[in-house]
């Protein structure tokens, strides 16, 4: 059956891939976004409501105008390094903003939400593969802000009967260039886009943040998962929530770790370009290794990720970055800086 879904943050990287997935399968999609880091051009499916989670009146208008069966909440500040330097906007957007959204949902009898969380809630992991029960001990404000919101959902299940699925993403990557969407941050900090832009001779010189970690080659190890596979998991979560009450949590990754150096080497083979880089000091807030166990998502949700190797993930991102649409800040004629960003 089809449903009406409010995608908060649907003008952003992961949210736009969610809109594509749902719209293609006949669901009614509405995007709510403040366009602080998202783009009007990325809203290709469904109506855009320009509203900010920090403005309860705007949220009230959004929920009064239309009936939603469920909410997907992708609105967040999500950069580890920035959160260390500027924690306040992380707590206001990710904590207070989420609370405002949950209150608006309760006031309008919308009782199902899929929430975007992160591997950053785990801090420095104490086991190889991180499952859902792994202790949460964030080492940066970003992870701490997401962990607080996870707690809201558990409390709201008990108090208000809110149904929720929290999905903790490891490293979201890749794009769907054939659908005109991909990663398009005015101030890009993520590894794969930075590597690919370096291959194009664009953006700042590539830096590897630390090669003295306790890993095989000394660089940080991460678990890269394609945004379309994340979208699939969210869609499965919708069906799961309709059947199961309570607050549920799943980790989403490919259960395979790649070091920063391995990502650069794979990108070199995908692009055919030898990519120059410098080794720089460690970035504040980075754990050495984050690799998921997604056994629970596969078993309970029936999640079957399609993009399980690094090469096709990077290849999809490469096709996107080589030829960005005019609305992307990486388009050759785009302005260097979008308004409202925290530099
Ligand atoms: N990284 C890097 N150079 C860059 C961007 C990232 O060395 O230009 C490293 C970063 O320190 C981390 C890994 O790549 O170890 C992944 O970082 P990213 O920002 O992509 O994702 P995060 O794991 O912080 O969510």
């Amino acid at each position: 059956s089809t449903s009406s879904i409010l995608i908060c943050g649907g003008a952003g990287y992961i949210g736009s891939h969610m809109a594509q997935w749902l719209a293609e399968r006949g669901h009614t999609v509405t995007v709510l976004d403040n366009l602080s880091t998202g783009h009007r051009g990325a809203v290709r499916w469904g109506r855009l409501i320009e509203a900010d989670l920090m403005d309860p009146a705007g949220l009230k208008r959004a929920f009064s105008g239309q009936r939603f069966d469920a909410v997907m909440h992708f609105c967040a500040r999500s950069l580890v390094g920035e959160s260390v330097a500027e924690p306040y906007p992380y707590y206001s957007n990710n904590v207070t903003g989420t609370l405002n959204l949950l209150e608006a949902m309760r006031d309008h009898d919308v009782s199902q939400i899929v929430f975007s969380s992160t591997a950053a809630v785990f801090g420095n992991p104490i086991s190889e593969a991180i499952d859902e029960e792994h202790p949460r001990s964030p080492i940066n404000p970003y992870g701490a802000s997401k962990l607080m919101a996870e707690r809201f959902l558990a409390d709201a299940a008990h108090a208000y009967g809110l149904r929720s699925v929290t999905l903790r993403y490891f490293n979201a990557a890749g794009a769907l260039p054939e659908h005109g969407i991909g990663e398009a941050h005015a101030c890009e900090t993520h590894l794969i886009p930075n590597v690919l832009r370096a291959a194009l001779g664009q953006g700042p010189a590539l830096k590897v943040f630390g090669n003295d970690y306790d890993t095989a080659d000394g660089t940080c190890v991460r678990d890269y998962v394609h945004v379309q596979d994340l979208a699939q998991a969210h869609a499965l979560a919708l069906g799961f929530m309709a059947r199961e009450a309570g607050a549920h949590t799943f980790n989403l990754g490919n259960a395979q770790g790649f070091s920063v150096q391995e990502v650069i080497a794979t990108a070199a083979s995908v692009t055919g370009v030898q990519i120059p880089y410098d080794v720089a000091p460690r970035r504040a807030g980075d754990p050495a290794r984050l690799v998921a166990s997604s056994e629970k998502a596969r078993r309970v949700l029936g999640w079957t990720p399609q993009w399980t190797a690094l090469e096709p993930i990077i290849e999809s991102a490469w096709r996107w970055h080589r030829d960005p649409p005019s609305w992307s800040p990486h388009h050759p004629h785009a302005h260097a800086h979008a308004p409202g960003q925290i530099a």
Side-chain angles (χ1 to χ4, degrees), residues 137-207:
S137 184
I139 59 168
N140 52 62
Y142 169 55
S145 71
K146 286 286 182 178
L147 187 57
M148 285 179 204
E150 287 193 11
R151 176 63 194 259
F152 296 167
L153 297 174
D155 293 342
H158 183 74
Y160 309 119
L162 181 71
R163 293 177 176 222
S164 64
V165 172
T166 289
L167 299 176
R168 296 186 184 128
Y169 316 152
F170 282 63
N171 285 63
L176 290 179
E178 55 280 19
H179 294 288
I181 47 177
E183 196 163 8
H185 296 117
C187 179
E188 188 52 77
T189 65
H190 292 115
L191 179 62
I192 291 175
N194 281 350
V195 168
L196 295 177
R197 298 192 70 222
L200 287 163
Q202 297 170 0
L206 183 62
K207 288 183 182 151

Side-chain angles (χ1 to χ4, degrees), residues 179-266:
H179 294 288
I181 47 177
E183 196 163 8
H185 296 117
C187 179
E188 188 52 77
T189 65
H190 292 115
L191 179 62
I192 291 175
N194 281 350
V195 168
L196 295 177
R197 298 192 70 222
L200 287 163
Q202 297 170 0
L206 183 62
K207 288 183 182 151
V208 169
F209 297 131
N211 66 353
D212 56 352
Y213 283 95
D214 185 15
T215 58
D217 65 23
T219 63
C220 288
V221 170
R222 293 290 182 273
D223 181 336
Y224 295 90
V225 53
H226 196 281
V227 274
Q228 192 180 38
D229 284 332
L230 295 180
Q232 182 207 141
H234 287 71
L236 292 165
L238 283 180
F240 179 79
M241 272 192 310
R243 300 189 299 272
E244 301 274 342
H248 304 270
T249 304
F250 300 91
N251 293 352
L252 299 180
N254 271 314
Q256 279 183 87
F258 294 97
S259 72
V260 172
Q261 266 178 6
E262 286 172 324
V263 168
I264 295 171
T266 306

Side-chain angles (χ1 to χ4, degrees), residues 4-15:
S4 172
I5 308 297
L6 180 66
I7 305 182
C8 298
Y13 174 39
I14 307 173

Side-chain angles (χ1 to χ4, degrees), residues 32-343:
L32 184 149
D33 206 294
N34 67 1
L35 301 179
S36 63
T37 54
H39 307 279
R40 204 178 289 279
V43 184
R44 314 195 63 201
W45 302 271
R47 189 166 69 95
L48 170 65
I49 300 174
E50 246 186 281
D52 194 311
L53 298 191
M54 298 307 289
D55 171 27
L59 282 175
K60 191 178 167 137
R61 278 193 299 279
F63 279 93
S64 306
Q66 197 177 331
R67 170 84 212 150
F68 301 110
D69 298 305
V71 170
M72 293 185 169
H73 175 21
F74 298 90
C75 294
R77 293 203 168 267
S78 63
L79 305 178
V80 166
E82 184 186 72
S83 81
V84 175
E86 295 215 47
Y88 288 172
Y90 278 75
Y91 291 113
S92 56
N93 278 270
N94 299 1
V95 180
T96 309
T98 297
L99 193 52
N100 289 342
L101 175 61
L102 295 177
E103 287 183 330
M105 288 175 63
R106 186 199 52 196
D107 292 347
H108 294 85
D109 290 319
V110 179
S111 61
Q112 298 184 29
I113 183 167
V114 187
F115 175 63
S116 304
S117 189
T118 169
V121 299
F122 298 112
N124 283 312
I126 56 174
S127 57
E128 281 290 296
I130 304 172
D131 68 14
E132 289 74 9
E133 301 315 312
H134 184 287
R136 272 73 77 195
S137 184
I139 59 168
N140 52 62
Y142 169 55
S145 71
K146 286 286 182 178
L147 187 57
M148 285 179 204
E150 287 193 11
R151 176 63 194 259
F152 296 167
L153 297 174
D155 293 342
H158 183 74
Y160 309 119
L162 181 71
R163 293 177 176 222
S164 64
V165 172
T166 289
L167 299 176
R168 296 186 184 128
Y169 316 152
F170 282 63
N171 285 63
L176 290 179
E178 55 280 19
H179 294 288
I181 47 177
E183 196 163 8
H185 296 117
C187 179
E188 188 52 77
T189 65
H190 292 115
L191 179 62
I192 291 175
N194 281 350
V195 168
L196 295 177
R197 298 192 70 222
L200 287 163
Q202 297 170 0
L206 183 62
K207 288 183 182 151
V208 169
F209 297 131
N211 66 353
D212 56 352
Y213 283 95
D214 185 15
T215 58
D217 65 23
T219 63
C220 288
V221 170
R222 293 290 182 273
D223 181 336
Y224 295 90
V225 53
H226 196 281
V227 274
Q228 192 180 38
D229 284 332
L230 295 180
Q232 182 207 141
H234 287 71
L236 292 165
L238 283 180
F240 179 79
M241 272 192 310
R243 300 189 299 272
E244 301 274 342
H248 304 270
T249 304
F250 300 91
N251 293 352
L252 299 180
N254 271 314
Q256 279 183 87
F258 294 97
S259 72
V260 172
Q261 266 178 6
E262 286 172 324
V263 168
I264 295 171
T266 306
S269 104
V270 166
T271 61
V273 177
Q274 213 43 53
I275 302 161
Y277 62 85
D278 293 315
V279 176
R282 292 181 178 196
R283 192 173 68 177
D286 277 346
R289 186 173 188 280
L290 289 171
V291 179
S293 162
S294 290
E295 187 275 328
K296 185 184 174 194
R298 290 170 177 271
R299 177 170 44 84
V300 177
L301 295 178
W303 188 47
T304 49
Q306 304 297 302
W307 300 76
T308 51
L310 185 60
E311 197 150 39
I313 293 176
I314 291 181
E315 197 272 335
S316 72
W318 173 236
R319 282 186 287 118
W320 165 256
H321 284 285
R322 243 181 358 192
D323 186 19
S326 58
W327 55 262
S328 167
H330 300 156
H331 188 273
H333 300 301
H335 297 291
H337 293 285
Q341 82 187 70
I342 298 181

